Amino acid sequence: MIDAAGLRVMKAIADEGSFTSAANALGFTQPAISQMVRRLEQRTGTVLVERYGRQVRLTEAGQVLARHAVGVLAALDAAEEEITAIAGLRAGRVRLQAFPSSSATLVPKALAILRSRHPDITMTFTEAEPPQSLAALRAGDCDVAVIFATKDVDAGELVEDLSLLVTRHLLDDELRLATPKDHPLAQTGTASLSDFASEDWIAGCPRCRAHLVGLADKAGFRPTVSFEIEDYVAQLGLVTAGLGVALVPDIILNAAKHDDVATLSLSPVSQRQILAVTTPDLLRVPAVAAALDALCAAAGADPSTSPAELAASPA
Amino acid sequence: MIDAAGLRVMKAIADEGSFTSAANALGFTQPAISQMVRRLEQRTGTVLVERYGRQVRLTEAGQVLARHAVGVLAALDAAEEEITAIAGLRAGRVRLQAFPSSSATLVPKALAILRSRHPDITMTFTEAEPPQSLAALRAGDCDVAVIFATKDVDAGELVEDLSLLVTRHLLDDELRLATPKDHPLAQTGTASLSDFASEDWIAGCPRCRAHLVGLADKAGFRPTVSFEIEDYVAQLGLVTAGLGVALVPDIILNAAKHDDVATLSLSPVSQRQILAVTTPDLLRVPAVAAALDALCAAAGADPSTSPAELAASPA
DNA sequence: GGTAATGCATAAGTGTCGGTTATGATGAGG
DNA sequence: CCTCATCATAACCGACACTTATGCATTACC
């Protein structure tokens, strides 16, 4: 019934004191104001403007509208300002969920980059395994999910359903074998998984353990898992102590130097992709795009890389 | 840029959770919502709604709009309610100005009638002589002016410029001559002004005195004004004491019985009209119309009487 | 896993709203 | 008394916003 334009007109009349100057103030012509007032009057069924001679002044009802106009227009301006702030990266919030081992280096670095680039964007971060973070993304509880997906193996169920989502390749993470430095095969550089079939194994989370078992199964043995510890630093501690060997992702090894362990490339190589995932619509939200760029920068990946479609090519 | 309709739509989507049910809630069809959102998005340049699969949810920017919508729409509703309250006589204010002697009976009675009919209308009242009240009316500082104007005499300048105004006849007030009860002519009923040429006269305000002098001039004498007292009760007191005679309007005499004075009709009759005046636009304001009706009722006049146009007919 | 149902997007059509220019009427001022 | 200034009105016109009809995708169910 009453719209913002009408309020704007009433306020302009109240401020300017005449239709003509109100029209000038609003960038309209005088007849526009004239019939705008008439429309408002027949909509509300009240007299809003008192025409006396060639001067006009607001009636009580008209003053009511003009008075309310101040608050309403201010609120509209505030809303508009907030929107443009979000559009201009001067405000906004990005909810990030990432799998635990990425929290070590990738996520903190990305957060730092984002903050330095856009200090007014707030980023919230939650650790979550890929299935959980993707569920949150689908449920709308999360804006960006950082997940990993194995390229090669279909033994483990690490490839999630990424339909309806867009992914951005961050980096390829190689799974390396960590052994004590004095292990016989420590200096060989590359080794086959089966070479360590009789070793004691240190596994991490259930998913990681399942992956290990899957890889070993392809290599033809069943690993003896003597330790289950999720924390990779603790795992490397066990390796250092000579209590076993472990599969450790490259990003963990790169995070800090571990002089007391040797790492071997596996043959066949076991790589997993680390991906940032979001939805097509959120990709067009400036803050989300900035967060993805920050993640790419943190990973050293090319930010302009087109999204890697993984769903259709499990290789 | 952002209008109330857009906010309403965003809020409906936020509340209902889908375009379709939002459309139902607002009485629109689904495509209307769809392209309304699209318009809003390309106006603001931001993504407001995230489409995931066949479900939709608001982005941060969309939530900003939905959040502001609550306040804005509430303010609009409040404004609308105030307007309809004014239109429905459940609110409103009437600023009345009336000349002093009308305050005795007419105005209080009218105020009482108005209050009993429409208890929620506030009426403010200021005493003012006709020129002042009409000036206030023209300046927009007053809604209804109660004035008097002499029908017959053009000696006094009691006829104001009533162009651009509408008048409503309240009652005809006859100017009567008040004498002591024991005056020789007290029982004659009707007398000529010249019969009292040699009496001591009691006059009131400057305008009233001018009127008296004007009437006497037409009757061929110059009155001896021994007293000038504005208050009519005091004037009657002087008359009672036998100190002189006075011209007193009928409405004063009717207000209370004064057993110790005799009143005579004048020949020629000196009548003045008591009028309620307002502007054409204000006449269409319910509260003003109600106030005029109350004044008519208080005066015992027919409320349906068409406005008496006095300006063109001073005879 | 095929099929039906559901929900959003798009296209085309249409009316009305809200603006313009042009013109008239009328009060205010020199 | 004439002129200027202001509001009202008329005629015109484009664009916006809603409709119906349809397509396309996902989701759910058998």
Side-chain angles (χ1 to χ4, degrees):
Chain A
M1 186 174 182
I2 301 175
D3 60 344
L7 290 184
R8 212 178 303 270
V9 167
M10 293 304 294
K11 179 166 150 46
I13 295 173
D15 290 343
E16 304 290 330
S18 79
F19 283 14
T20 305
S21 39
N24 290 334
L26 295 179
F28 292 151
T29 58
Q30 171 263 316
I33 306 296
S34 207
Q35 47 196 2
M36 184 67 172
V37 170
R38 185 175 46 179
R39 277 194 299 270
L40 270 178
E41 284 185 334
Q42 61 194 24
R43 267 184 221 167
T44 61
T46 57
V47 184
L48 299 176
V49 172
E50 184 192 349
R51 288 89 163 167
Y52 178 78
R54 78 182 188 196
Q55 65 177 315
V56 295
R57 50 184 175 241
L58 300 188
T59 65
E60 192 188 3
Q63 290 171 5
V64 164
L65 285 191
R67 179 155 23 93
H68 278 89
V70 180
V72 170
L73 295 179
L76 283 181
D77 283 350
E80 197 164 318
E81 162 56 25
E82 267 193 68
I83 296 290
T84 57
I86 290 177
L89 289 168
R90 303 198 321 277
R93 172 213 57 186
V94 179
R95 297 162 301 175
L96 175 68
Q97 296 199 1
F99 61 93
S101 60
S102 72
S103 328
T105 59
L106 186 61
V107 167
K109 205 184 289 185
L111 289 176
I113 291 174
L114 186 71
R115 168 149 303 176
S116 73
R117 287 181 182 170
H118 308 292
D120 300 323
I121 294 199
T122 64
M123 198 155 176
T124 66
F125 168 55
T126 308
E127 265 193 5
E129 295 292 337
Q132 280 75 45
S133 62
L134 287 178
L137 189 63
R138 273 186 265 266
D141 297 327
C142 161
D143 299 312
V144 176
V146 174
I147 66 168
F148 57 86
T150 55
K151 256 184 181 170
D152 40 11
V153 169
D154 40 359
E157 69 282 17
L158 297 187
V159 173
E160 312 284 344
D161 175 27
L162 294 179
S163 62
L164 291 182
L165 297 174
V166 291
T167 63
R168 195 118 148 210
H169 180 81
L170 294 182
L171 46 84
D172 288 313
D173 189 24
E174 186 181 341
L175 215 52
R176 297 175 67 88
L177 186 72
T179 72
K181 208 159 189 171
D182 54 359
H183 192 278
L185 297 176
Q187 307 306 329
T188 54
T190 301
S192 171
L193 200 62
S194 55
D195 298 338
F196 297 85
S198 57
E199 297 279 344
D200 282 329
W201 283 88
I202 305 164
C205 64
R207 282 169 51 86
C208 305
R209 178 186 173 151
H211 190 213
L212 165 64
V213 172
L215 286 176
D217 188 56
K218 290 189 77 174
F221 72 100
R222 180 172 191 82
T224 308
V225 176
S226 308
F227 304 93
E228 291 188 28
I229 301 176
E230 298 209 3
D231 185 56
Y232 282 110
V233 179
Q235 288 188 25
L236 291 174
L238 293 178
V239 171
T240 303
L243 298 177
V245 296
L247 286 179
V248 181
D250 224 13
I251 51 167
I252 296 295
L253 298 171
N254 290 340
K257 279 297 138 205
H258 303 275
D259 294 329
D260 300 328
V261 297
T263 63
L264 304 173
S265 293
L266 284 183
S267 152
V269 169
S270 171
Q271 273 191 331
R272 59 179 193 179
Q273 282 187 329
I274 297 185
L275 304 170
V277 189
T278 187
T279 69
D281 284 331
L282 288 179
L283 196 60
R284 295 167 46 221
V285 173
V288 172
L292 287 178
D293 289 343
L295 280 168
C296 286
D302 184 4
S304 64
T305 299
S306 63
E309 284 300 339
L310 190 80
S313 61
Chain B
M1 187 175 182
I2 300 176
D3 60 345
L7 290 184
R8 212 179 302 270
V9 167
M10 292 305 293
K11 179 167 151 45
I13 295 173
D15 291 343
E16 303 290 330
S18 79
F19 284 14
T20 304
S21 39
N24 290 333
L26 295 178
F28 293 151
T29 58
Q30 170 263 316
I33 306 296
S34 207
Q35 45 195 0
M36 183 69 173
V37 170
R38 185 176 46 181
R39 279 193 298 268
L40 271 179
E41 285 185 332
Q42 60 195 24
R43 268 184 221 168
T44 60
T46 58
V47 183
L48 299 176
V49 172
E50 182 192 349
R51 288 91 164 165
Y52 178 79
R54 76 184 189 194
Q55 66 177 316
V56 293
R57 52 185 173 240
L58 300 188
T59 64
E60 191 188 6
Q63 290 171 6
V64 164
L65 284 190
R67 180 156 21 94
H68 279 89
V70 180
V72 169
L73 295 178
L76 283 181
D77 282 349
E80 198 165 319
E81 161 57 25
E82 266 194 68
I83 296 290
T84 57
I86 290 176
L89 289 168
R90 303 197 322 276
R93 173 213 57 185
V94 178
R95 296 161 301 173
L96 175 68
Q97 295 200 2
F99 61 93
S101 62
S102 72
S103 327
T105 58
L106 186 62
V107 166
K109 207 185 287 184
L111 290 176
I113 290 173
L114 185 70
R115 168 149 304 176
S116 72
R117 287 181 182 169
H118 307 292
D120 300 323
I121 294 200
T122 64
M123 197 156 176
T124 66
F125 168 56
T126 308
E127 266 194 4
E129 295 292 336
Q132 281 75 43
S133 60
L134 288 178
L137 189 61
R138 274 186 266 268
D141 297 326
C142 160
D143 300 312
V144 176
V146 174
I147 67 168
F148 56 86
T150 55
K151 254 184 181 168
D152 39 11
V153 170
D154 39 359
E157 69 284 16
L158 297 186
V159 173
E160 312 283 345
D161 176 25
L162 294 178
S163 61
L164 292 182
L165 297 175
V166 291
T167 65
R168 195 117 148 210
H169 180 80
L170 294 181
L171 46 84
D172 288 312
D173 189 24
E174 187 182 340
L175 216 51
R176 296 176 67 88
L177 185 71
T179 71
K181 207 158 190 173
D182 54 357
H183 192 277
L185 297 175
Q187 307 307 328
T188 55
T190 301
S192 172
L193 200 62
S194 54
D195 298 338
F196 297 85
S198 58
E199 298 277 345
D200 283 330
W201 284 88
I202 305 165
C205 65
R207 282 170 51 86
C208 305
R209 177 186 174 152
H211 191 214
L212 165 63
V213 172
L215 288 175
D217 189 57
K218 288 191 77 172
F221 73 99
R222 180 172 191 80
T224 308
V225 176
S226 307
F227 304 93
E228 291 188 28
I229 302 177
E230 298 209 3
D231 185 56
Y232 281 111
V233 177
Q235 288 188 26
L236 291 174
L238 293 178
V239 172
T240 303
L243 297 177
V245 297
L247 287 179
V248 181
D250 223 15
I251 51 167
I252 297 295
L253 298 170
N254 291 339
K257 278 299 137 202
H258 304 276
D259 294 329
D260 300 327
V261 298
T263 63
L264 303 173
S265 294
L266 284 181
S267 154
V269 170
S270 172
Q271 274 190 331
R272 60 179 194 180
Q273 282 188 328
I274 298 186
L275 304 171
V277 190
T278 187
T279 70
D281 285 330
L282 287 178
L283 196 59
R284 295 166 46 221
V285 173
V288 172
L292 286 177
D293 289 343
L295 279 168
C296 285
D302 184 3
S304 65
T305 299
S306 61
E309 285 300 340
L310 190 81
S313 60

